[in-house]
Amino acid sequence: MSSQYGKKLKISIFGQSHSPAIGVNIDGLPAGIALNMDALHAFLARRAPGQSELATERKEDDTPEILSGLVNGVTCGAPLTAIIRNKDTRSADYHELCDIPRPSHADYSAHVKYGGNQDVAGGGHFSGRLTAPLCVAGGICLQILHTLGIEIGAHILRIGGAEDSTFDPVRVSVADFTAIQSNPLPVMRRSAGDAMRTAILAAKEKGDSVGGVIECAAIGLPSGLGDPIFDGIENRIASIVFGIPAVKGIEFGNGFAAAERTGSQNNDSFYMEADTVKTRTNNSGGILGGITNGMPVLFRAAFKPTPSIALEQKSISLSRREDTVLQIKGRHDPCIVPRAVPCVEAAAAIALYDTYLDNIMLNK
Amino acid sequence: MSSQYGKKLKISIFGQSHSPAIGVNIDGLPAGIALNMDALHAFLARRAPGQSELATERKEDDTPEILSGLVNGVTCGAPLTAIIRNKDTRSADYHELCDIPRPSHADYSAHVKYGGNQDVAGGGHFSGRLTAPLCVAGGICLQILHTLGIEIGAHILRIGGAEDSTFDPVRVSVADFTAIQSNPLPVMRRSAGDAMRTAILAAKEKGDSVGGVIECAAIGLPSGLGDPIFDGIENRIASIVFGIPAVKGIEFGNGFAAAERTGSQNNDSFYMEADTVKTRTNNSGGILGGITNGMPVLFRAAFKPTPSIALEQKSISLSRREDTVLQIKGRHDPCIVPRAVPCVEAAAAIALYDTYLDNIMLNK
Amino acid sequence: MSSQYGKKLKISIFGQSHSPAIGVNIDGLPAGIALNMDALHAFLARRAPGQSELATERKEDDTPEILSGLVNGVTCGAPLTAIIRNKDTRSADYHELCDIPRPSHADYSAHVKYGGNQDVAGGGHFSGRLTAPLCVAGGICLQILHTLGIEIGAHILRIGGAEDSTFDPVRVSVADFTAIQSNPLPVMRRSAGDAMRTAILAAKEKGDSVGGVIECAAIGLPSGLGDPIFDGIENRIASIVFGIPAVKGIEFGNGFAAAERTGSQNNDSFYMEADTVKTRTNNSGGILGGITNGMPVLFRAAFKPTPSIALEQKSISLSRREDTVLQIKGRHDPCIVPRAVPCVEAAAAIALYDTYLDNIMLNK
Amino acid sequence: MSSQYGKKLKISIFGQSHSPAIGVNIDGLPAGIALNMDALHAFLARRAPGQSELATERKEDDTPEILSGLVNGVTCGAPLTAIIRNKDTRSADYHELCDIPRPSHADYSAHVKYGGNQDVAGGGHFSGRLTAPLCVAGGICLQILHTLGIEIGAHILRIGGAEDSTFDPVRVSVADFTAIQSNPLPVMRRSAGDAMRTAILAAKEKGDSVGGVIECAAIGLPSGLGDPIFDGIENRIASIVFGIPAVKGIEFGNGFAAAERTGSQNNDSFYMEADTVKTRTNNSGGILGGITNGMPVLFRAAFKPTPSIALEQKSISLSRREDTVLQIKGRHDPCIVPRAVPCVEAAAAIALYDTYLDNIMLNK
């Protein structure tokens, strides 16, 4: 098994929901980069639990401790490892789940894979909590990309029927990313966020949960990033984004909508703007043949509703090999989509900075 | 750059559309496996060009020559390399494209990446022709998976508004796969195929092209295959499927539809069927926490319309740095989706057999 | 840069000599393995500093804290991360070295590579202290290999002219490994150990240091382990053993001596012992074509003398770009070879267990 | 199993001694590099068989056919694949070896690993013939390194008691490499070559074989190349050099001799020469902490004598499980060391150019 990602920037995620700590090892950070810890903490706060009635009540301050890789706050070229201690754990809540797997959760498949030795408490290594170290690595990459003129932003596009505006595929800007952060929920239109909030609370009220879609954009990328066939930008981003629990689909540019169109409708024609090559539309999401063309990179990720719901569900007893019912205890998010927004940005940042380091020469 | 895929089964794809040959090196095939070359040729014939009015007129028999890895038709444990000679090439058709990139094609991004040294003829290494060696590797994996009781099948779900039935997520069977092959186009309902054919010919008539969606299923997989976080089945399949040119989206199980649902609607409840653990629905597409649960693995891939169309398009001159128009010559598919069906099966077979070899112990 | 090793068992080493902690992430341990922490501590104690007049006076108890991967002392299939806090650090001792690199140490090459940002204190990431996490990973692998009937042992073959007996290449046994541990220094003949001790103390007296050679054997390995060309047992062991600071050479079987012999002298003839295939001699060190043949795997590693010596040395000032002299402060081993013995065993254990997991099928 | 090497420059070797072809896929060559095919052929000629009474009589012109990756002789950024057809094969000579493994050859270990399915003819994938594609890849890397001011040369240091002069560790130059090529055998002192020739012919006369040692130097490398712990220059070079059949040992700088010395004798003191940092001695072989320091990189590889000898040897029958004797037929080198010299240069070139690409930023 492998919880590692990356070619030049090697990210190793470790920990379980209730283990002494969770963390990440980042091997391959260039030396000489000063990290802004306040900015990193602010980024992590966007996914931290226990903040609002929309999220789990589990309280974790999620302050990472950097164990290595820094000298006076500057990267020294050695692997950077950061850990986050687990504090507010209630393993007792999960005892029953050793025998009765939660529908649509990893309990059963992990039970088979690990012969019953997996860490059940809090979902173990499969917990959404493991996105905290992902965000530590991603937050660092976002800071470095910023110095390279590359910015990444995401917002909730859809939750429970409520829909936000989409990014303008050609003109999406840093101003959009800033505006999103000014809203209570990360959306372009505050009213859309209010509708989403209503939908989430309605689900919570019923002991149910809702899914949603997140849209992400990366701007300022040079053209020529990415590689053919198996190492294209789509391959690289998809293989990390599916590392975020609950993601079941991803599309780039206009994605599935492109399948309904003709070439003459869908092709992005080129034109010169001063000496810069641009396209009038951006159905390709800034990626041609797996390689950036200088236009914004755009993708959307679909999140299934949180499988852990309070409502009684049908399941089985692994020990008795018979059908039974399950009433899940513990504290869960009625919708993980709002907290997943920074996770998607983090995943994109890791994938794109790794590609940048891997392609640094751009073959020149 | 890397045109390699796999952890235990390492696939290296090489060649350009008009190079002396294209091919694949497969490192990691177990020894002692007898290959059925007739079955492999039959599989390759499903994607070969020049077969019908729906595809490019380029004629290539695409018979692979096995250069290594076999002794009397049986794998010997050494890397297996197969090549396919390029024959019916018309590089002259592509001369203009050195200066005028085709909209939504890799011409421009490759030009930037490789500093103008890329092989332009026929799309070079970015050509759909490179799916032939992918199918050689995939065809071999399909044969081996068959001996393990694992079967993979795909069909066209949608082209130009025409829609086929979807697989039954719980009951999809080998009979479905066989039925699909009996139709002129690979679909479940022949009438859907006829409508697709009409849509493709209409686009061809106009010098245009159409996109589409392919649905794929893998059955007979043991539960417990796949790994957490970055090496889940979704990650592994997505990172190879995006290696097929024109794929812009992928979803597993009910994918994007799951984002519109509540947990109580979307969760797949467990039940015992005799001593086997099953789920009554399969919205998860047979994957929980990145790991198979024993139900059919299901995914859909969205293909954009072929960017190479006969209609005049707006583009630029790279040498003169000014806007211009482009009239594409050469032979192209009005719709690559029908020929892409075996490519999707091949990609899934490679990803799943690689996972199988990588997980062989299933931690037991 | 990469401080990672392994194909199926991925070891990531992190930390600097004076960072808050050093540690290791082990990704790929099978689930369900009960670890014996007492045995692990006993193994680590063999390399811990501050134990005798032969080693540095730096005191570190080197007790690892397991942050993840265990449930009640049993592996759960998630990555296992262990950290060791750095305590007895005296960074002040190293201030001068920022400007004046120590001869034959990594100070200068790291200065160039990292643009002066490397962690100089205690040698940073290049410190021999990083072999502690290597031994944590190796100690765990040794425990697992033991359950598979595979045992690994090493001893000091040579230090400062004093020479121990070599392992019997054909008959080396667990009894030899046990006997070695019963001596004050890890040698076969106690008298050889006494002579080595004298040589080390003589060097220490002069403010100098000495190098040496370690011999290692692995017994009980099945035949058929390892892969051709670049993944043979020699390649795999060499690429990890050179990860131990100060190693400048490695040889397998009779190694360099084989170069002086004829084929008729050097070939190991086969014979049947009951139904087992054996060789009468073992000049090959148990490896043919990179693959084990069932005989003991044997190798020797050459360690250069510790470059950090108290004697005044010629060096340069990086800031003033001129020649100067250096008087090294800080606490250093007059000979790291005795403490390196468990490190060599650890490296061999990691390489062989990784190969075992990677080859588990032995293609059957 | 894996016959692949490299991080940024991925080399995949394929083929068996008697398969239709052998070859190499090189993934990661930058675009825009013009290859000199005459220079490549001249380099390959140095290892080609059938040239002299010192080598096997098997005749192979070994002219590679480039199947992909080039456009008009210039790299296009796509993987470069080259194949060499096998012509002068006499598989019949090897029939007996299916049952009676050759002592100290891979026949037995491969038989176990591949369950009797391995390609026995000519040694299959384990044949020294597979060094031809290694030299194709290495010859290309040598051309590119030359344009970067990096030169690599090797010579026979020892064969059968005859010894050549060693490279001057500090002053080794291109003139040395040129002089070596002017001798009938690749040595510094022609007389040493004559003595080696006598020793080889004497062994051949007896139906025996001899081993030897090759010394290799790389000059012009920038300081700062290589990475700590597991990706140092020693690790990278060792893991490819052990891919050359018959190599049983490797040492860097003064290697095993360093183990006999004190720190004050062995340390290489720094001094300034104009504005360049140099060391007065080079016992470290140009590598400190795994990273180049700007001095020549030096290593030696020990080759065991060719195991295939004409003299009758003791072996076993795998089918009858009993002892027997073996009389090897077929054509073999009485000493592979002379032909191995370019192979060592090729391996070093691949390892160093891969490191160069992997470290291109040198963290700046």
Side-chain angles (χ1 to χ4, degrees), chain B residues 249-299:
Chain B
I250 190 166
E251 60 181 1
F252 295 83
N254 59 354
F256 278 84
E260 311 302 323
R261 314 185 76 197
T262 64
S264 57
Q265 294 167 330
N266 202 62
N267 285 355
D268 301 310
S269 57
F270 292 106
Y271 73 102
M272 299 298 305
E273 185 173 276
D275 196 51
T276 308
V277 175
K278 295 204 161 181
T279 62
R280 295 195 185 281
T281 52
N282 187 18
N283 296 318
S284 306
I287 309 165
L288 296 175
I291 301 169
T292 56
N293 66 355
M295 299 298 290
V297 164
L298 289 153
F299 70 91

Side-chain angles (χ1 to χ4, degrees), chain D residues 45-131:
Chain D
R46 289 173 50 200
R47 76 154 290 290
Q51 302 178 116
S52 85
E53 62 199 333
L54 298 183
T56 169
E57 291 142 33
R58 177 172 175 177
K59 300 256 181 303
E60 294 284 2
D61 66 0
D62 283 353
T63 305
E65 178 191 10
I66 310 290
L67 296 180
S68 66
L70 290 185
V71 176
N72 304 326
V74 176
T75 59
C76 65
L80 185 151
T81 295
I83 64 171
I84 297 169
R85 295 280 171 179
N86 286 320
K87 294 170 187 160
D88 182 13
T89 59
R90 293 198 205 150
S91 300
D93 292 342
Y94 293 86
H95 183 67
E96 185 183 44
L97 306 180
C98 298
D99 189 47
I100 307 178
R102 289 168 291 179
S104 292
H105 211 293
D107 299 342
Y108 172 68
S109 53
H111 171 85
V112 173
K113 182 176 188 66
Y114 301 117
N117 298 103
Q118 79 282 7
D119 188 353
V120 173
H125 191 55
F126 296 86
S127 168
R129 181 145 179 72
L130 274 292
T131 56

